[in-house]
Amino acid sequence: QVQLVESGGGLVQPGGSLRLSCAASGFTSDYYSIGWFRQAPGKEREGVSCISASESDTYYADSVKGRLTIFRDNAKNTVYLQMNSLKPEDTAVYYCATDFPRPSYYCSGLGANEYGYWGQGTQVTVSS
């Protein structure tokens, strides 16, 4: 079955780095966009970044531009989110999602409701 599994979260000090992974199985993930979202306690879910199947389109929320980089390794069916210069306000549960089974050429215009499958999330805590 279609499955997305996030990993790489943890506790990090402000200014530190983490690399989140989103491992896909049960479908050919190369053909689909992958998005990263986050939700902090008491706040709405926020779209953080996405990458299209062809990697020609990527998106970053203004709050993370210049600090986060999304990339994919199709040989490993995995999408990564490299997070640098982390801030306490980055603390949240991070989720990855795919637009399978309805692929879009561009991912930057996709809303959360256009992603068909979601992972279970990984906690990122930025604190000294």
Side-chain angles (χ1 to χ4, degrees):
Q1 72 276 21
V2 174
Q3 194 172 16
L4 298 174
V5 179
E6 302 95 336
S7 62
L11 173 64
V12 63
Q13 292 186 341
S17 298
L18 285 174
R19 177 176 291 184
L20 305 185
S21 299
C22 174
S25 61
F27 69 108
T28 307
S29 60
D30 312 14
Y31 299 153
Y32 299 92
S33 297
I34 299 290
W36 282 96
F37 295 78
R38 67 186 181 186
Q39 188 163 22
K43 294 188 177 181
E44 292 188 357
R45 182 173 51 191
E46 173 189 19
V48 174
S49 181
C50 73
I51 185 167
S52 65
S54 65
E55 303 182 59
S56 61
D57 184 38
T58 58
Y59 162 82
Y60 297 96
D62 288 343
S63 57
V64 304
K65 278 182 182 176
R67 301 188 297 117
L68 271 58
T69 303
I70 190 170
F71 58 101
R72 61 195 306 162
D73 184 342
N74 288 335
K76 296 183 178 179
N77 294 324
T78 301
V79 172
Y80 301 94
L81 188 66
Q82 178 66 41
M83 308 170 68
N84 299 328
S85 303
L86 284 164
K87 304 176 181 180
E89 50 264 43
D90 294 318
T91 295
V93 178
Y94 284 72
Y95 301 90
C96 65
T98 176
D99 61 356
F100 176 89
R102 286 184 286 273
S104 298
Y105 188 82
Y106 299 105
C107 72
S108 53
L110 295 178
N113 60 353
E114 294 173 280
Y115 285 90
Y117 289 85
W118 293 73
Q120 82 290 348
T122 185
Q123 175 71 46
V124 171
T125 302
V126 185
S127 175
S128 54

